[in-house]
Amino acid sequence: MTTVVFADLVGSTSMFERLGDETASRFVTQLIGVLSQVFQQHQGRVVKLLGDGLFVVFPNEGDALSACISIQKRLQEKPIKPGGSGAPVQMQMGIESGEVVEIDGDCFGDTVNSAARLADLAGAAQILTTENVWTALLPVQRAALRSMGPMYLRGRAEASHVYRVEWQTGRDEDATMAGRSMFASPSQAFLELSFAGQTVRLDAKSSKLALGRGADAALNLNDPRVSRMHATLEWRGGQFVLTDASSYGTWVYLGNQSEAVVLRRTECYLVGSGHIVPGCDRKDDNAPLVAFSIRT
């Protein structure tokens, strides 16, 4: 078994536009070099550099998790601003464990693809992983993982149980204001929903809101496939939770996934951005497509 990590720089496109190709390239090269050393210190082998990211393999899950957390904490405690101004650097990471095919030093297989998809799905300063990794970790490390439920990763036929790593838990409250400002507190996040010119927001202090055909729904969806009180959204345990209460179900597309998580009187956590489709698949005619985005 091999553990695979993909770590990508967030917002590199805007950084290149702001700094210019030469300055931005030099900055990214230096940053990736520093991050490579951290991974190597945790027994990782950098398989290849990916322009603004890294593809790394580890002999076990615990070392991979420790390396990712170490990098996230380092960026939090000592913020790095490209060109000395603008937003500090943030990374999004994915960790998967399983069988890997190695050819001439490169690695291939479903495990590699899964780690890459998890990194794509992760938000800024987030680490996402799966039950494969959760099962192999020691209890002390496992305690830092929070279940996000089943999700379809692009290119996979079956849903994967995804976990978010709560690496900021117990961080030093005496950290500098500059260090803290790099990462907004989870309680400062808000969920924005948009449909047919309507926009609503939900945050940690908001009451539960409803989607449906009913007049009292926060987002009114006038479609026969939508129940009067179709689904609810709420902030619970540090995450936004969507709960289906309908007759026909709710289809949830996370990020750029082509396959939906289908809810039928069940619930799932929302992450990043995507679409909620009450009552039908988004490929159906005139599907009521609700866009969502989690922001800070």
Side-chain angles (χ1 to χ4, degrees):
M1 301 286 280
T2 301
T3 305
V4 177
V5 169
F6 273 77
D8 296 326
L9 178 64
V10 176
S12 60
T13 300
S14 60
M15 182 186 67
F16 272 81
E17 291 175 352
R18 182 171 65 86
L19 299 179
D21 289 348
E22 183 178 349
T23 301
S25 296
R26 186 164 55 249
F27 171 81
V28 170
T29 299
Q30 292 173 345
L31 175 66
I32 296 303
V34 172
L35 299 184
S36 296
Q37 293 176 12
V38 177
F39 281 124
Q40 290 165 359
Q41 289 166 3
H42 288 81
Q43 314 309 314
R45 178 175 71 84
V46 178
V47 176
K48 63 175 66 173
L49 304 181
L50 306 170
D52 58 355
L54 302 97
F55 167 18
V56 191
V57 294
F58 290 81
N60 64 71
E61 296 80 2
D63 286 339
L65 181 63
S66 295
C68 290
I69 291 175
S70 177
I71 286 174
Q72 296 288 20
K73 286 185 174 180
R74 182 168 179 169
L75 293 176
Q76 175 195 0
E77 293 163 1
K78 297 180 179 179
I80 302 171
K81 295 185 177 182
S85 63
V89 166
Q90 292 179 301
M91 302 295 294
Q92 56 192 107
M93 300 176 169
I95 309 173
E96 179 63 294
S97 179
E99 298 296 331
V100 168
V101 176
E102 184 170 341
I103 302 175
D104 296 331
D106 204 348
C107 297
F108 305 88
D110 190 53
T111 300
V112 175
N113 295 335
S114 178
R117 301 299 178 247
L118 287 165
D120 289 341
L121 186 61
Q126 277 194 345
I127 307 168
L128 297 185
T129 189
T130 67
E131 194 157 19
N132 293 335
V133 174
W134 183 90
T135 302
L137 292 173
L138 296 172
V140 65
Q141 289 183 305
R142 195 180 292 170
L145 273 59
R146 298 290 178 269
S147 172
M148 298 178 68
M151 296 184 184
Y152 280 95
L153 303 179
R154 184 159 53 91
R156 303 194 69 176
E158 297 181 356
S160 300
H161 196 119
V162 176
Y163 291 81
R164 184 179 68 191
V165 181
E166 298 289 355
W167 61 268
Q168 297 184 76
T169 301
R171 69 184 184 276
D172 185 1
E173 289 303 320
D174 294 328
T176 64
M177 287 303 296
R180 284 204 298 268
S181 67
M182 182 175 176
F183 297 98
S185 165
S187 63
Q188 295 174 336
F190 68 87
L191 171 67
E192 185 172 273
L193 301 164
S194 301
F195 174 76
Q198 306 173 70
T199 300
V200 295
R201 286 187 177 187
L202 176 73
D203 60 30
K205 298 178 181 178
S206 303
S207 301
K208 182 185 296 186
L209 63 79
L211 307 180
R213 285 191 295 114
D216 57 346
L219 203 60
N220 188 267
L221 310 173
N222 188 18
D223 187 290
R225 293 163 290 192
V226 178
S227 299
R228 291 184 61 81
M229 209 292 289
H230 194 98
T232 61
L233 290 131
E234 63 181 316
W235 174 266
R236 188 202 311 159
Q239 298 187 86
F240 291 104
V241 182
L242 171 67
T243 304
D244 175 73
S246 70
S247 301
Y248 299 112
T250 302
W251 279 248
V252 183
Y253 293 87
L254 299 163
N256 57 7
Q257 295 178 8
S258 59
E259 298 294 332
V261 175
V262 183
L263 307 179
R264 290 189 171 88
R265 303 285 173 153
T266 53
E267 62 183 33
C268 76
Y269 295 109
L270 298 182
V271 61
S273 60
H275 291 94
I276 300 168
V277 193
C280 64
D281 189 282
R282 68 179 175 187
K283 295 189 291 289
D284 291 3
D285 292 340
N286 300 313
L289 206 66
V290 178
F292 76 84
S293 178
I294 296 174
R295 306 180 184 181
T296 55

